[in-house]
Amino acid sequence: MTGQTVSWWLFFLILAALGGLNGFQEDEFLDGQLTLVVEDALEGGPNPTFSPRSTIHVRSVKSGNALVTHMRQWTPELHDKLRALAENDDLYRIRVYHKGSEEKGYVSTFTKACQIYESALSETVSMMVDSAGMSVVGVGLIPPVAVCRGQPPEIIPVQHNTTVIIRSPTPAPVPDTATYIEKLEAMKNEKAEGKDNRSFLAKYWMYIVPVVLIMVVFGGGQEGGR
Ligand SMILES: *[C@@H]1O[C@H](CO)[C@@H](O)[C@H](O)[C@H]1NC(C)=O
């Protein structure tokens, strides 16, 4: 390989690395990740005991990407407990905490036990997470069965069937008409002129720096060789 081919290869390698770095920052680093632990109560009564049920690993608050893992087997004993709750017209309660921030406490919700029972443990859990992904601020639990018919599920479930929705609050808009109109004007102008206000260097530094580096390294080497 000639020196020139090598420098082109290096150039593309550095470009690829910089591109990867940018992608990483946008998708992973600047976006919230957190692990939530879901506990539920199958005891009933006013002060039931909760036990760990599932973990929800939120990979990205922005995209709502979350992975659910269930921590316990759904045994016939648990199924009997849930049936008893449903038959007593009691509540199925869950509470959620942010793993690693236990001191912040729980958020919790409940539904009628018969809804979860008749849904055969299918449910949609909606998590309200602050936009930085630093904490969980609310939880919702929606079983597909909205009105109980008083009949057992057609299938005995083997595990919770959980669909997770991640929501993060957007700050309420503050009316600021003057700035808004200014922005609109600026955007219109930009569109009309098709131009980016940033300087050439600000836009293309990531391409220029490696080229300059390569020129310094290989240019110096070649001159020395002559
Ligand atoms: C799991 O839940 C989804 C959405 O609610 C539903 O379409 C699917 O049939 C359920 N699967 C089982 C095995 O219950």
Side-chain angles (χ1 to χ4, degrees), residues 105-150:
Y106 295 96
V107 292
S108 66
T109 188
F110 58 83
T111 179
K112 288 182 91 162
C114 62
Q115 287 175 260
I116 286 287
Y117 177 63
E118 293 181 23
S119 301
L121 298 188
S122 286
E123 65 190 354
T124 300
V125 173
S126 69
M127 304 294 328
M128 182 66 100
V129 171
D130 76 348
S131 46
M134 294 309 289
S135 63
V136 53
V137 291
V139 58
L141 178 65
I142 310 128
V145 169
V147 180
C148 295
R149 296 173 306 161

Side-chain angles (χ1 to χ4, degrees), residues 4 8 21 24 35 43 48 50 76 78 86 91 95 117 126 138 146 149 155 157 165-166 177 180 182 195 201 225:
Q4 212 179 5
W8 275 111
L21 216 64
F24 174 77
T35 301
E43 313 275 273
F50 285 82
L78 294 180
L91 301 172
R95 63 183 192 184
Y117 177 63
S126 69
R149 296 173 306 161
I155 46 154
I165 298 174
I166 305 294
T177 331
Y180 179 68
E182 254 173 50
K195 100 178 173 194
L201 266 178

Side-chain angles (χ1 to χ4, degrees), residues 22-148:
N22 275 347
F24 174 77
Q25 280 181 345
E26 263 164 38
D27 296 346
E28 312 288 336
F29 183 67
L30 296 178
D31 200 358
Q33 284 203 26
L34 66 171
T35 301
L36 307 170
V37 178
V38 181
E39 299 182 340
D40 70 354
L42 293 165
E43 313 275 273
N47 275 315
T49 46
F50 285 82
S51 54
R53 198 202 92 172
S54 318
T55 56
I56 300 174
H57 181 64
V58 181
R59 288 165 169 158
S60 157
V61 172
K62 220 191 301 167
S63 70
N65 184 346
L67 179 75
V68 185
T69 316
H70 299 298
M71 298 148 89
R72 68 169 184 215
Q73 286 298 113
W74 187 252
T75 58
E77 291 75 43
L78 294 180
H79 197 68
D80 286 344
K81 281 187 177 180
L82 181 60
R83 180 174 48 226
L85 276 187
E87 283 168 0
N88 292 334
D89 199 22
D90 210 325
L91 301 172
Y92 175 74
R93 296 163 225 253
I94 63 167
R95 63 183 192 184
V96 179
Y97 68 90
H98 175 193
K99 201 172 182 181
S101 303
E102 281 81 355
E103 76 285 354
K104 285 185 189 162
Y106 295 96
V107 292
S108 66
T109 188
F110 58 83
T111 179
K112 288 182 91 162
C114 62
Q115 287 175 260
I116 286 287
Y117 177 63
E118 293 181 23
S119 301
L121 298 188
S122 286
E123 65 190 354
T124 300
V125 173
S126 69
M127 304 294 328
M128 182 66 100
V129 171
D130 76 348
S131 46
M134 294 309 289
S135 63
V136 53
V137 291
V139 58
L141 178 65
I142 310 128
V145 169
V147 180
C148 295

